[in-house]
Amino acid sequence: MAVDATLTTPVLSWGPCLALSPLLRAVMWEFANEVTPCRGSTLSGGRGDRPRERFTIFSVPPAMDRKPKQAEEARPYGLLKPTALGKIPGRFQLHQEALPHLPVPPLQQTLDRYLLALQPIISEEELNHTQELVAEFRKPGGVGERLQKGLERRAKKTENWLSDWWLKTAYLEYRLPVVVHSSPGVVLPKQDFLDRQGQLRFAAKLIEGILDFKTMIDNETLPVEYMGGKPLCMNQYYQILSSCRIPGPKRDSIVNYARGKKQSRHITVVHNFQFFELDVYNSDGSPLTTDQLFTQLEKIWNTSLQTNKEPIGILTTNHRNSWAKAYNNLLKDKTNKESVRTIEKSICTVCLDAPMPRVSEDIYKSRVAAQMLHGGGSRWNSGNRWFDKTLQFIIAEDGSCGLVYEHAPSEGPPIVALLDHIVEYTKKPELVRSPMIPLPMPKKLRFNITPEIKNDIEKAKQNLNIMVEDLDVKVMVFHQFGKAFPKSEKISPDAFIQLALQLAYYRMYSHACATYESASLRMFRLGRTDTIRSTSVDSLKFVQSMDSPDKSDQEKADLLRRATQAHREYTDMAIRGNAIDRHLLGLKLQAIEDLVSMPELFMDTAYAVATHFNLSTSQVPAKTDCVMCFGPVVPDGYGICYNPMDEHINFAISAFNSCADTNAARMAHYLEKALLDMRILLQSTPKSKL
């Protein structure tokens, strides 16, 4: 789970992410801030994007009983035929067509870099064995060359040789619940309202901000984003509104209702586990004003005061295969089917939550992060969600707020760009006086709960509550300095933070581990992410030296600077399409597609170690003082997301309680110490030329 971290100051004002007037100034960061995309990631992935311990490939298409007329299956925009899209206004299409295609890196280059990446994380004996496998794989006329040629042929035939594969393997075929395991959350600053009126007023303003942003998407007036002077793919912005994930027995699918003739005019509002369809446009096509939205939200609130309703939304938290079965069962009833379709077709979901349990100030943000990720469990707000919906904005009565998003359509930066726009929008004074037109009552979505559906809900509750108890999440605001300090030392803030993570992990466990940081491939058409491998030969040399009495401070500082420079170089390589992870994955998937036996290189223990990311990290920068959060991607790992502000850094750290070796608070402690020790080291030594 991670995010687009390599964004730089745009040459033009740009869009969605952050910058248009005060409203949109969002994802273009100075290169010195060097964000690395997400997960989404892992960003995402968002989690910038979510690196996976392993991928399962199915040839079975999604087996859903649905082919809604207005919805296109949400493959990357460019993969759809123009006839399927109807008329696409020219600006977006022309921009997309001008972007370069994602290259297939040279095979020998990737194999050399793979061996280099293994050095700090496996033993010499294991490395010797892998070198033999690589030598066999790279032989002229051998299996490696055959698979490479297959990838190159695929690259010539498609707009992006990776994007469709990545969508399926990283997301749609991933069978664990989207909650915790895939969908990132965002913690926004606490609002100062303390009651229902304030909650609904803020929600109304937020909805108006969403619609303002949607207008730019619909009109294609989002300024193009730039990174390092190069234009970025804007496709993800066209995937996040009016879209929804649909569960399937072996592979899910995504539908997008933003592009049909009959576009979505409503949002879904959830309160006390009850769902409502709220039309957000007047009959003349103009969006409702804040006053109008507030009136409609009050109607919803007043007609959903019962707290004993079945939490139908909790079904979306289950294992994807279980949810697919329950989904087909749920849709057998016509009323249920209509209600589910209404949720799926909505622009987004707004969740009006009950107040969180009161906690002390020092753990408040950590609890909010948990609320954003999973809703707190079946007794709290987890039933007040539809987790398959791409965007869910969460506003609680006590002022805590944020969002959770389904990761398949997008990495973190477009989401954060939207958030920055909305937060800025909510600060604007209200200038428009609402017309005194009576508005229809928002439609309550009805569900007929059979004993079988009730049983599915109970099972989902049990499984969710186990997940909630298992997630250990800690939000840390590091106040001692922000990105301004590493910049003053002419060091990339992202590289500095990544090296601090390496030092913290090494001090805790006395060895290095495979580390995932998301890198944006949006310089290329339909680009998603690749992996920045933050653990390097240089990072290991530095962390080993840091507490060694045999090294002088000057030697340590030189090793620190060399390691940050190596990270910077790997980042530059990754965003230009020359990293190793997606290329290796492509070769593996090509072998599966060609029905040849799996090369031993991918059956090797070293490959399993290299793709077991104990540290899954993402920088998700935002103008807003917020932080994204996501779960670990392996049982004994950490999920770490951060937003470097000028004078402080927001971190969200997650781990699983079921693993005795990991602890989010302990990682936060070691990370804080690492950051401080690295600052002291640099301040106590003169800069030397590397």
Side-chain angles (χ1 to χ4, degrees):
M1 318 158 258
V3 170
D4 261 346
T6 5
L7 300 177
T8 64
T9 309
V11 177
L12 304 176
S13 70
W14 60 271
C17 264
L18 287 123
L20 211 208
S21 67
L23 300 178
L24 281 176
R25 16 157 125 199
V27 173
M28 294 310 340
W29 307 103
E30 21 296 85
F31 218 7
N33 191 27
E34 178 198 323
V35 280
T36 69
C38 172
R39 95 272 208 331
S41 301
T42 239
L43 107 136
S44 132
R47 356 168 116 299
D49 53 72
R50 307 228 12 128
R52 304 299 182 199
E53 188 174 359
R54 61 176 67 86
F55 297 97
T56 29
I57 311 302
F58 295 95
S59 58
V60 185
M64 301 313 303
D65 66 335
R66 53 185 340 287
K67 293 264 180 207
K69 287 180 184 172
Q70 307 100 299
E72 300 293 347
E73 184 169 341
R75 301 170 69 201
Y77 219 161
L79 300 180
L80 294 164
K81 295 176 182 174
T83 51
L85 290 172
K87 180 178 179 294
I88 302 176
R91 188 168 177 261
F92 169 71
Q93 193 173 21
L94 288 171
H95 166 71
Q96 292 296 106
E97 287 172 357
L99 292 168
H101 289 253
L102 179 69
V104 178
L107 179 64
Q108 304 301 334
Q109 169 187 290
T110 291
L111 294 175
D112 288 340
R113 287 172 174 171
Y114 175 54
L115 290 172
L116 200 59
L118 289 174
Q119 282 185 37
I121 58 173
I122 63 173
S123 69
E124 195 173 337
E125 185 184 351
E126 288 172 317
L127 186 61
N128 290 337
H129 175 65
T130 303
Q131 283 170 335
E132 292 172 13
L133 297 181
V134 166
E136 180 66 28
F137 189 78
R138 76 193 321 168
K139 277 183 182 172
V143 65
E145 277 195 5
R146 288 200 303 276
L147 295 176
Q148 176 77 359
K149 283 175 183 167
L151 271 190
E152 288 166 355
R153 282 194 299 272
R154 180 182 171 91
K156 284 178 183 169
K157 291 188 305 191
T158 58
E159 281 197 273
N160 184 308
W161 65 264
L162 173 65
S163 58
D164 213 18
W165 267 348
W166 182 248
L167 180 66
K168 288 173 186 169
T169 55
Y171 299 111
L172 302 183
E173 287 168 357
Y174 189 62
R175 299 287 83 196
L176 287 180
V178 293
V179 179
V180 173
H181 297 287
S182 180
S183 297
V186 179
V187 178
L188 284 173
K190 189 175 192 297
Q191 300 302 308
D192 57 8
F193 59 79
L194 293 167
D195 60 10
R196 173 175 67 93
Q197 293 279 324
Q199 178 189 19
L200 299 186
R201 176 64 60 182
F202 179 77
K205 193 75 178 172
L206 178 139
I207 294 165
E208 198 177 17
I210 296 166
L211 298 179
D212 187 63
F213 194 85
K214 182 177 183 293
T215 299
M216 289 189 287
I217 291 176
D218 292 345
N219 297 340
E220 300 191 3
T221 54
L222 281 173
V224 170
E225 297 165 19
Y226 286 76
M227 176 166 64
K230 300 202 175 201
L232 299 182
C233 176
M234 301 294 287
N235 176 63
Q236 290 175 36
Y237 287 95
Y238 295 82
Q239 309 295 337
I240 58 178
L241 296 175
S242 309
S243 59
C244 194
R245 184 162 169 164
I246 311 295
K250 291 187 178 177
R251 181 200 294 162
D252 294 353
S253 56
I254 304 170
V255 289
N256 188 316
Y257 292 88
R259 302 192 290 267
K261 291 177 185 174
K262 200 173 176 187
Q263 294 190 8
S264 306
R265 294 175 51 89
H266 70 278
I267 65 169
T268 307
V269 179
V270 207
H271 178 238
N272 281 336
F273 309 160
Q274 296 160 71
F275 289 79
F276 291 81
E277 176 184 356
L278 172 55
D279 199 329
V280 289
Y281 290 96
N282 288 301
S283 55
D284 64 358
S286 61
L288 298 192
T289 63
T290 300
D291 285 344
Q292 289 176 306
L293 289 164
F294 175 76
T295 300
Q296 296 298 80
L297 291 172
E298 273 205 313
K299 291 176 188 173
I300 287 172
W301 180 284
N302 290 327
T303 52
S304 54
L305 296 174
Q306 316 93 309
T307 55
N308 61 346
K309 296 295 181 182
E310 285 293 342
I312 194 80
I314 220 152
L315 290 171
T316 63
T317 68
N318 218 347
H319 186 281
R320 301 308 294 176
N321 290 353
S322 303
W323 169 216
K325 284 182 195 166
Y327 180 87
N328 283 329
N329 183 40
L330 183 68
L331 265 60
K332 287 175 187 172
D333 179 276
K334 187 183 174 189
T335 299
N336 294 348
K337 188 170 185 174
E338 285 176 2
S339 294
V340 169
R341 290 285 185 268
T342 299
I343 295 169
E344 290 168 356
K345 291 177 183 178
S346 63
I347 295 163
C348 65
T349 298
V350 172
C351 311
L352 301 175
D353 273 13
M356 285 196 336
R358 285 183 176 266
V359 293
S360 60
E361 195 60 35
D362 58 325
I363 64 166
Y364 171 77
K365 283 190 175 179
S366 301
R367 285 296 175 86
V368 177
Q371 284 287 316
M372 298 306 128
L373 283 170
H374 54 57
S378 62
R379 289 182 58 244
W380 295 102
N381 292 300
S382 298
N384 224 43
R385 308 276 186 276
W386 193 267
F387 281 101
D388 285 0
K389 198 70 193 141
T390 305
L391 281 174
Q392 295 195 96
F393 297 88
I394 299 160
I395 305 156
E397 203 175 329
D398 58 6
S400 55
C401 60
L403 66 72
V404 61
Y405 79 96
E406 200 287 300
H407 206 334
S410 172
E411 265 66 65
I415 307 298
V416 168
L418 169 59
L419 265 183
D420 277 330
H421 180 93
I422 292 166
V423 168
E424 204 62 40
Y425 194 92
T426 58
K427 297 173 185 172
K428 286 173 51 174
E430 292 166 33
L431 303 173
V432 183
R433 288 193 63 81
S434 299
M436 300 302 290
I437 305 166
L439 295 168
M441 181 73 195
K443 182 184 174 186
K444 188 169 191 174
L445 303 182
R446 305 287 175 183
F447 288 95
N448 294 320
I449 309 294
T450 63
E452 196 176 351
I453 294 169
K454 168 77 172 159
N455 188 42
D456 289 336
I457 290 171
E458 290 307 313
K459 284 182 191 165
K461 279 184 186 178
Q462 290 168 17
N463 293 335
L464 171 73
N465 291 337
I466 291 167
M467 273 197 297
V468 167
E469 287 301 312
D470 195 24
L471 185 69
D472 173 22
V473 61
K474 167 79 175 170
V475 172
M476 175 180 85
V477 181
F478 178 77
H479 285 293
Q480 285 81 350
F481 59 84
K483 64 185 177 187
F485 169 68
K487 280 186 185 179
S488 72
E489 293 286 332
K490 297 191 165 35
I491 291 174
S492 149
D494 184 62
F496 187 87
I497 293 167
Q498 283 290 326
L499 204 56
L501 286 167
Q502 292 297 309
L503 179 56
Y505 191 92
Y506 187 82
R507 283 172 166 176
M508 290 172 76
Y509 300 104
S510 303
H511 62 85
C513 71
T515 303
Y516 181 106
E517 183 187 6
S518 202
S520 174
L521 292 177
R522 286 176 60 213
M523 279 187 188
F524 305 100
R525 198 185 308 181
L526 304 181
R528 293 291 300 252
T529 63
D530 208 326
T531 307
I532 298 167
R533 287 190 166 265
S534 303
T535 307
S536 64
V537 171
D538 290 301
S539 74
L540 183 60
K541 283 179 183 172
F542 164 67
V543 299
Q544 287 174 332
S545 78
M546 189 62 180
D547 298 319
S548 167
D550 301 329
K551 297 279 187 188
S552 69
D553 282 355
Q554 188 62 58
E555 286 176 297
K556 294 174 186 178
D558 288 348
L559 288 170
L560 187 160
R561 289 183 180 279
R562 191 169 293 121
T564 56
Q565 185 57 32
H567 184 274
R568 175 73 252 195
E569 287 164 7
Y570 200 112
T571 299
D572 289 346
M573 178 182 81
I575 64 175
R576 284 165 176 74
N578 278 304
I580 64 173
D581 280 74
R582 300 298 182 267
H583 186 199
L584 289 171
L585 173 66
L587 293 166
K588 183 179 175 182
L589 296 178
Q590 189 67 47
I592 292 168
E593 195 162 281
D594 292 350
L595 300 175
V596 298
S597 59
M598 184 57 65
E600 282 195 45
L601 184 69
F602 300 116
M603 311 295 283
D604 182 26
T605 305
Y607 187 71
V609 172
T611 53
H612 186 91
F613 293 106
N614 293 95
L615 286 176
S616 174
T617 72
S618 182
Q619 177 177 225
V620 186
K623 182 176 183 302
T624 305
D625 192 8
C626 63
V627 66
M628 191 171 275
C629 47
F630 46 79
V633 297
V634 294
D636 56 342
Y638 293 93
I640 302 178
C641 197
Y642 50 96
N643 177 13
M645 310 296 281
D646 283 338
E647 301 302 332
H648 68 276
I649 308 168
N650 297 327
F651 288 97
I653 301 167
S654 67
F656 290 123
N657 289 316
S658 51
C659 177
D661 294 332
T662 56
N663 182 288
R666 189 163 171 258
M667 171 56 80
H669 168 78
Y670 275 88
L671 176 57
E672 183 171 23
K673 186 174 186 328
L675 287 163
L676 291 170
D677 288 351
M678 286 166 61
R679 179 175 70 168
I680 290 166
L681 179 64
L682 290 174
Q683 288 177 331
S684 65
T685 53
K687 296 185 181 82
S688 65
K689 291 184 180 177
L690 294 180

PDB file of all heavy atoms in Angstrom, residues 143-158:
ATOM      1  N   VAL A 143      15.781 -19.846 -21.579  1.00  0.00           N
ATOM      2  CA  VAL A 143      14.403 -19.548 -21.187  1.00  0.00           C
ATOM      3  C   VAL A 143      14.204 -18.058 -20.915  1.00  0.00           C
ATOM      4  O   VAL A 143      13.162 -17.488 -21.252  1.00  0.00           O
ATOM      5  CB  VAL A 143      13.978 -20.411 -19.969  1.00  0.00           C
ATOM      6  CG1 VAL A 143      14.791 -20.075 -18.726  1.00  0.00           C
ATOM      7  CG2 VAL A 143      12.495 -20.245 -19.672  1.00  0.00           C
ATOM      8  N   GLY A 144      15.210 -17.405 -20.327  1.00  0.00           N
ATOM      9  CA  GLY A 144      15.091 -15.976 -20.037  1.00  0.00           C
ATOM     10  C   GLY A 144      14.883 -15.158 -21.291  1.00  0.00           C
ATOM     11  O   GLY A 144      14.013 -14.290 -21.348  1.00  0.00           O
ATOM     12  N   GLU A 145      15.685 -15.438 -22.304  1.00  0.00           N
ATOM     13  CA  GLU A 145      15.564 -14.688 -23.565  1.00  0.00           C
ATOM     14  C   GLU A 145      14.212 -14.939 -24.227  1.00  0.00           C
ATOM     15  O   GLU A 145      13.613 -14.028 -24.801  1.00  0.00           O
ATOM     16  CB  GLU A 145      16.696 -15.077 -24.523  1.00  0.00           C
ATOM     17  CG  GLU A 145      17.979 -14.319 -24.247  1.00  0.00           C
ATOM     18  CD  GLU A 145      18.978 -14.415 -25.405  1.00  0.00           C
ATOM     19  OE1 GLU A 145      18.635 -14.999 -26.465  1.00  0.00           O
ATOM     20  OE2 GLU A 145      20.094 -13.909 -25.225  1.00  0.00           O
ATOM     21  N   ARG A 146      13.735 -16.183 -24.166  1.00  0.00           N
ATOM     22  CA  ARG A 146      12.429 -16.495 -24.776  1.00  0.00           C
ATOM     23  C   ARG A 146      11.309 -15.716 -24.083  1.00  0.00           C
ATOM     24  O   ARG A 146      10.425 -15.159 -24.738  1.00  0.00           O
ATOM     25  CB  ARG A 146      12.157 -18.004 -24.705  1.00  0.00           C
ATOM     26  CG  ARG A 146      13.015 -18.825 -25.650  1.00  0.00           C
ATOM     27  CD  ARG A 146      12.412 -20.200 -25.933  1.00  0.00           C
ATOM     28  NE  ARG A 146      12.180 -20.982 -24.709  1.00  0.00           N
ATOM     29  CZ  ARG A 146      13.106 -21.719 -24.110  1.00  0.00           C
ATOM     30  NH1 ARG A 146      14.335 -21.774 -24.600  1.00  0.00           N
ATOM     31  NH2 ARG A 146      12.817 -22.415 -23.021  1.00  0.00           N
ATOM     32  N   LEU A 147      11.345 -15.697 -22.748  1.00  0.00           N
ATOM     33  CA  LEU A 147      10.308 -14.958 -22.004  1.00  0.00           C
ATOM     34  C   LEU A 147      10.432 -13.459 -22.251  1.00  0.00           C
ATOM     35  O   LEU A 147       9.424 -12.753 -22.369  1.00  0.00           O
ATOM     36  CB  LEU A 147      10.420 -15.267 -20.506  1.00  0.00           C
ATOM     37  CG  LEU A 147      10.140 -16.722 -20.104  1.00  0.00           C
ATOM     38  CD1 LEU A 147      10.386 -16.926 -18.613  1.00  0.00           C
ATOM     39  CD2 LEU A 147       8.711 -17.125 -20.464  1.00  0.00           C
ATOM     40  N   GLN A 148      11.668 -12.955 -22.334  1.00  0.00           N
ATOM     41  CA  GLN A 148      11.895 -11.533 -22.605  1.00  0.00           C
ATOM     42  C   GLN A 148      11.292 -11.146 -23.950  1.00  0.00           C
ATOM     43  O   GLN A 148      10.629 -10.115 -24.075  1.00  0.00           O
ATOM     44  CB  GLN A 148      13.403 -11.241 -22.579  1.00  0.00           C
ATOM     45  CG  GLN A 148      13.784  -9.816 -22.946  1.00  0.00           C
ATOM     46  CD  GLN A 148      13.537  -8.801 -21.836  1.00  0.00           C
ATOM     47  OE1 GLN A 148      13.057  -9.156 -20.756  1.00  0.00           O
ATOM     48  NE2 GLN A 148      13.842  -7.549 -22.093  1.00  0.00           N
ATOM     49  N   LYS A 149      11.496 -12.005 -24.963  1.00  0.00           N
ATOM     50  CA  LYS A 149      10.924 -11.706 -26.288  1.00  0.00           C
ATOM     51  C   LYS A 149       9.399 -11.708 -26.233  1.00  0.00           C
ATOM     52  O   LYS A 149       8.740 -10.906 -26.907  1.00  0.00           O
ATOM     53  CB  LYS A 149      11.436 -12.722 -27.318  1.00  0.00           C
ATOM     54  CG  LYS A 149      12.870 -12.423 -27.748  1.00  0.00           C
ATOM     55  CD  LYS A 149      13.425 -13.478 -28.680  1.00  0.00           C
ATOM     56  CE  LYS A 149      14.884 -13.158 -29.012  1.00  0.00           C
ATOM     57  NZ  LYS A 149      15.565 -14.293 -29.658  1.00  0.00           N
ATOM     58  N   GLY A 150       8.842 -12.623 -25.421  1.00  0.00           N
ATOM     59  CA  GLY A 150       7.387 -12.633 -25.248  1.00  0.00           C
ATOM     60  C   GLY A 150       6.887 -11.338 -24.639  1.00  0.00           C
ATOM     61  O   GLY A 150       5.861 -10.783 -25.071  1.00  0.00           O
ATOM     62  N   LEU A 151       7.616 -10.827 -23.637  1.00  0.00           N
ATOM     63  CA  LEU A 151       7.237  -9.545 -23.014  1.00  0.00           C
ATOM     64  C   LEU A 151       7.348  -8.401 -24.017  1.00  0.00           C
ATOM     65  O   LEU A 151       6.492  -7.505 -24.050  1.00  0.00           O
ATOM     66  CB  LEU A 151       8.161  -9.240 -21.827  1.00  0.00           C
ATOM     67  CG  LEU A 151       7.782  -9.751 -20.440  1.00  0.00           C
ATOM     68  CD1 LEU A 151       8.698  -9.119 -19.394  1.00  0.00           C
ATOM     69  CD2 LEU A 151       6.333  -9.457 -20.094  1.00  0.00           C
ATOM     70  N   GLU A 152       8.399  -8.429 -24.816  1.00  0.00           N
ATOM     71  CA  GLU A 152       8.586  -7.352 -25.800  1.00  0.00           C
ATOM     72  C   GLU A 152       7.478  -7.371 -26.849  1.00  0.00           C
ATOM     73  O   GLU A 152       7.008  -6.323 -27.294  1.00  0.00           O
ATOM     74  CB  GLU A 152       9.976  -7.478 -26.436  1.00  0.00           C
ATOM     75  CG  GLU A 152      11.096  -7.092 -25.453  1.00  0.00           C
ATOM     76  CD  GLU A 152      12.487  -7.523 -25.901  1.00  0.00           C
ATOM     77  OE1 GLU A 152      12.581  -8.222 -26.959  1.00  0.00           O
ATOM     78  OE2 GLU A 152      13.464  -7.190 -25.205  1.00  0.00           O
ATOM     79  N   ARG A 153       7.046  -8.577 -27.233  1.00  0.00           N
ATOM     80  CA  ARG A 153       5.909  -8.676 -28.173  1.00  0.00           C
ATOM     81  C   ARG A 153       4.642  -8.124 -27.526  1.00  0.00           C
ATOM     82  O   ARG A 153       3.864  -7.406 -28.159  1.00  0.00           O
ATOM     83  CB  ARG A 153       5.687 -10.133 -28.589  1.00  0.00           C
ATOM     84  CG  ARG A 153       6.665 -10.648 -29.631  1.00  0.00           C
ATOM     85  CD  ARG A 153       6.201 -11.964 -30.252  1.00  0.00           C
ATOM     86  NE  ARG A 153       6.081 -13.035 -29.259  1.00  0.00           N
ATOM     87  CZ  ARG A 153       7.081 -13.825 -28.907  1.00  0.00           C
ATOM     88  NH1 ARG A 153       8.284 -13.690 -29.446  1.00  0.00           N
ATOM     89  NH2 ARG A 153       6.890 -14.786 -28.005  1.00  0.00           N
ATOM     90  N   ARG A 154       4.440  -8.469 -26.255  1.00  0.00           N
ATOM     91  CA  ARG A 154       3.259  -7.969 -25.524  1.00  0.00           C
ATOM     92  C   ARG A 154       3.285  -6.438 -25.459  1.00  0.00           C
ATOM     93  O   ARG A 154       2.250  -5.778 -25.618  1.00  0.00           O
ATOM     94  CB  ARG A 154       3.236  -8.571 -24.123  1.00  0.00           C
ATOM     95  CG  ARG A 154       2.061  -8.127 -23.261  1.00  0.00           C
ATOM     96  CD  ARG A 154       2.151  -8.729 -21.860  1.00  0.00           C
ATOM     97  NE  ARG A 154       1.149  -8.157 -20.962  1.00  0.00           N
ATOM     98  CZ  ARG A 154      -0.073  -8.658 -20.775  1.00  0.00           C
ATOM     99  NH1 ARG A 154      -0.445  -9.750 -21.418  1.00  0.00           N
ATOM    100  NH2 ARG A 154      -0.928  -8.086 -19.941  1.00  0.00           N
ATOM    101  N   ALA A 155       4.474  -5.881 -25.234  1.00  0.00           N
ATOM    102  CA  ALA A 155       4.605  -4.420 -25.120  1.00  0.00           C
ATOM    103  C   ALA A 155       4.231  -3.730 -26.436  1.00  0.00           C
ATOM    104  O   ALA A 155       3.680  -2.626 -26.434  1.00  0.00           O
ATOM    105  CB  ALA A 155       6.025  -4.050 -24.712  1.00  0.00           C
ATOM    106  N   LYS A 156       4.515  -4.393 -27.566  1.00  0.00           N
ATOM    107  CA  LYS A 156       4.179  -3.792 -28.867  1.00  0.00           C
ATOM    108  C   LYS A 156       2.684  -3.836 -29.139  1.00  0.00           C
ATOM    109  O   LYS A 156       2.141  -3.004 -29.855  1.00  0.00           O
ATOM    110  CB  LYS A 156       4.934  -4.526 -29.983  1.00  0.00           C
ATOM    111  CG  LYS A 156       6.408  -4.149 -30.047  1.00  0.00           C
ATOM    112  CD  LYS A 156       7.121  -4.941 -31.123  1.00  0.00           C
ATOM    113  CE  LYS A 156       8.614  -4.592 -31.113  1.00  0.00           C
ATOM    114  NZ  LYS A 156       9.394  -5.503 -31.953  1.00  0.00           N
ATOM    115  N   LYS A 157       2.010  -4.844 -28.575  1.00  0.00           N
ATOM    116  CA  LYS A 157       0.583  -5.046 -28.865  1.00  0.00           C
ATOM    117  C   LYS A 157      -0.340  -4.282 -27.919  1.00  0.00           C
ATOM    118  O   LYS A 157      -1.525  -4.160 -28.176  1.00  0.00           O
ATOM    119  CB  LYS A 157       0.228  -6.547 -28.747  1.00  0.00           C
ATOM    120  CG  LYS A 157       0.830  -7.412 -29.840  1.00  0.00           C
ATOM    121  CD  LYS A 157       0.276  -8.831 -29.769  1.00  0.00           C
ATOM    122  CE  LYS A 157       0.471  -9.440 -28.386  1.00  0.00           C
ATOM    123  NZ  LYS A 157       0.178 -10.896 -28.344  1.00  0.00           N
ATOM    124  N   THR A 158       0.175  -3.829 -26.772  1.00  0.00           N
ATOM    125  CA  THR A 158      -0.689  -3.226 -25.744  1.00  0.00           C
ATOM    126  C   THR A 158      -0.239  -1.806 -25.435  1.00  0.00           C
ATOM    127  O   THR A 158       0.887  -1.411 -25.742  1.00  0.00           O
ATOM    128  CB  THR A 158      -0.635  -4.048 -24.438  1.00  0.00           C
ATOM    129  OG1 THR A 158       0.728  -4.104 -23.987  1.00  0.00           O
ATOM    130  CG2 THR A 158      -1.148  -5.468 -24.632  1.00  0.00           C
TER     131      THR A 158
END
